[in-house]
Amino acid sequence: MSKLSITLPPLAPDYSGAASSLFDLGGMIVIHDASGCTGNYVGYEEPRWFNAKTPVFCSGLRHMDAILGTDDVFVERILAAADSLKPRFIAILGSPVPMIIGTDFKGLAKDIESRTGIPCFGVATNGLHYYGTGFNQAIIPLVKRLAMKVEDKMQSDSSVVQGKHEKNNAAHRGVNILGVTPIDFSLEHNDEDFKNLFASNGIPVIANFCMGLSLDDVAHSSSAQLNVVVSQSGVETALFMYREYGIPFTVQTPVADAHALLFHVQRFLCGKIAHEQNGFVPFPIKESADTGKKILIAGDQVISLSIRNYFREKGCNADVRVASLFDTTPFLLESSDYAIKHEKQLRTILRDEHFAAVIADPLVLQLVKTQGTKCVPVYHSGVSGRISWNMCPRFMSREFENVLNKVIGWA
């Protein structure tokens, strides 16, 4: 019973992350479920759905379908929809029941692709993991299939010398941005701000995974010189792209003016800093004295540690800790950070540690019971869903910078 959530809602699951990552790419998304998972995604975790034309279908899985294994009916429905819509690709996503009955998503995808000639992906999400896992389950196969291989990149280099493909020429000193999802950043123009940070300073953005992304962007993404990971969702894809294409990565969400991140990226692109063995280019972290006060930032791991880096950059001497509510990357954890497994663990930490301030989604802040702790609401759609669609921060705005500076004043 330790994993029972009394106050917190279910956090955004893997099928939502997978569907969200593919949403802008012109494909047809099919969630194999009884309608609850599809309704959860389009109604509470995808703010783009209400004003977009992207087809997101539910298979309408029923008890007898699960018992009798009527996959042929499911396949025929997909074929009919594909014949009508002519999507650029088809993605079939899983949910808990297909996991229990052992649905072969790769087999279904291969069958459908052979019968339609349309690229088809089977993504075995199951609703038991967080959205970041689903993001990577969907994006890594897409990149593996579409992005240029090493030999193609060499041909691209040759064509650039001959005066062709100017976009590819820029790519060799450009960046990809990984982990840009509406679940993390909503529709508050964060994706545009992140792109403009680099583009306005002469650094081309090759692919913005995954808002405003196109299949052509994916194809050219392997030509980038650096991946900038702005949420934990992008870490696994960054590791894959280093192994597959040799592209190093750094991890930092642009916060406030983001001058430190821009300078860090510029130094790497100029060859002044190197990457570690796994491709990681560590963001420089300033040491700080300990005033005895403690601050907790609870949410996405990368966004939270980026806020902590901002505090340290501005001279904050509090003991700032990160509580990762979703997927956690071990090598990004500091010794005092927390990888939260369930609500009881978070309740215990908030009760025993006596934080001066807690920065988190308002639904998380309901767990704060200690007197004197200042609560700073930072909405996150992965926690509060549709409630927060119009209330998530614009991370590079002066308004959000003022909020963070007020916390520094308390410390």
Side-chain angles (χ1 to χ4, degrees):
M1 295 293 286
S2 65
K3 294 189 176 181
L4 177 67
S5 289
I6 299 172
T7 301
L8 295 180
L11 306 181
D14 53 6
Y15 56 78
S16 291
S20 179
S21 68
L22 302 172
F23 192 84
D24 280 342
L25 294 173
M28 184 175 83
I29 300 169
V30 182
I31 302 179
H32 193 23
D33 78 308
S35 78
C37 297
T38 305
N40 178 64
Y41 166 61
V42 300
Y44 298 95
E45 285 158 358
E46 184 49 81
R48 296 171 293 184
W49 185 75
F50 289 94
N51 295 309
K53 296 181 180 179
T54 299
V56 180
F57 293 113
C58 168
S59 66
L61 184 64
R62 294 296 178 258
H63 285 89
M64 294 309 295
D65 297 327
I67 294 169
L68 299 175
T70 56
D71 287 343
D72 55 334
V73 176
F74 177 40
V75 169
E76 290 300 326
R77 290 173 178 170
I78 293 177
L79 295 176
D83 182 61
S84 173
L85 296 171
K86 303 293 191 297
R88 298 191 69 180
F89 67 90
I90 301 168
I92 310 170
L93 314 183
S95 64
V97 172
M99 174 196 66
I100 293 171
I101 63 176
T103 300
D104 180 8
F105 285 98
K106 289 185 178 180
L108 288 173
K110 187 174 181 180
D111 178 29
I112 292 169
E113 181 166 342
S114 68
R115 295 168 67 177
T116 62
I118 299 171
C120 188
F121 300 87
V123 185
T125 49
N126 55 31
L128 303 183
H129 302 284
Y130 295 126
Y131 66 94
T133 298
F135 177 96
N136 291 294
Q137 282 181 282
I139 285 301
I140 289 176
L142 188 71
V143 172
K144 189 181 297 185
R145 183 160 180 173
L146 296 182
M148 291 186 297
K149 303 297 182 184
V150 174
E151 57 271 21
D152 297 328
K153 291 168 69 177
M154 292 175 65
Q155 290 179 358
S156 176
D157 291 343
S158 176
S159 65
V160 169
V161 172
Q162 298 171 18
K164 300 176 182 179
H165 303 305
E166 294 181 6
K167 180 178 179 181
N168 290 343
N169 187 30
H172 296 294
R173 56 181 301 277
V175 300
N176 298 318
I177 306 177
L178 306 183
V180 185
T181 76
I183 297 176
D184 287 306
F185 300 109
S186 194
L187 300 182
E188 298 303 313
H189 305 289
N190 283 299
D191 57 318
E192 298 169 10
D193 292 343
F194 297 166
K195 290 173 66 175
N196 290 337
L197 170 67
F198 300 110
S200 63
N201 286 281
I203 302 173
V205 176
I206 311 307
N208 194 34
F209 290 87
C210 283
M211 295 178 71
L213 186 70
S214 72
L215 293 179
D216 288 339
D217 294 338
V218 177
H220 291 101
S221 63
S222 58
S223 296
Q225 193 173 341
L226 180 70
N227 283 325
V228 180
V229 179
V230 298
S231 76
Q232 200 283 333
S233 302
V235 174
E236 194 61 37
T237 299
L239 288 167
F240 163 77
M241 293 186 76
Y242 177 70
R243 293 192 301 267
E244 191 76 9
Y245 308 109
I247 306 173
F249 65 97
T250 194
V251 176
Q252 175 76 10
T253 309
V255 174
D257 58 28
H259 284 166
L261 173 60
L262 178 62
F263 182 63
H264 176 60
V265 170
Q266 288 172 330
R267 291 190 70 222
F268 176 82
L269 295 178
C270 292
K272 294 183 178 180
I273 52 177
H275 60 78
E276 296 181 349
Q277 188 172 3
N278 65 349
F280 181 44
V281 184
F283 187 80
I285 299 174
K286 289 189 175 183
E287 297 294 331
S288 59
D290 188 355
T291 61
K293 292 184 178 181
K294 292 181 287 189
I295 296 173
L296 183 70
I297 310 170
D300 172 83
Q301 183 186 17
V302 170
I303 295 174
S304 299
L305 68 84
S306 300
I307 293 173
R308 173 169 61 192
N309 289 342
Y310 175 82
F311 287 160
R312 290 173 174 172
E313 179 190 344
K314 296 301 181 182
C316 177
N317 291 322
D319 176 9
V320 184
R321 303 181 182 183
V322 167
S324 178
L325 300 182
F326 310 103
D327 296 318
T328 302
T329 302
F331 68 80
L332 296 177
L333 287 170
E334 294 189 0
S335 58
S336 60
D337 290 344
Y338 311 98
I340 302 301
K341 303 298 183 184
H342 45 75
E343 183 181 307
K344 182 180 178 182
Q345 178 191 3
L346 185 56
R347 283 180 178 272
T348 302
I349 292 168
L350 291 169
R351 182 193 66 204
D352 296 345
E353 292 294 341
H354 303 288
F355 293 102
V358 177
I359 303 172
D361 186 274
L363 296 186
V364 175
L365 295 178
Q366 294 179 94
L367 303 178
V368 178
K369 304 299 181 183
T370 52
Q371 291 186 349
T373 298
K374 298 184 183 296
C375 293
V376 182
V378 175
Y379 285 85
H380 191 287
S381 296
V383 178
S384 51
R386 189 171 178 176
I387 295 173
S388 64
W389 281 0
N390 297 319
M391 304 183 76
C392 287
R394 191 167 182 174
F395 286 89
M396 294 183 65
S397 68
R398 181 59 61 86
E399 181 182 3
F400 188 64
E401 183 177 5
N402 290 340
V403 170
L404 297 183
N405 289 339
K406 182 180 291 187
V407 176
I408 294 173
W410 295 336

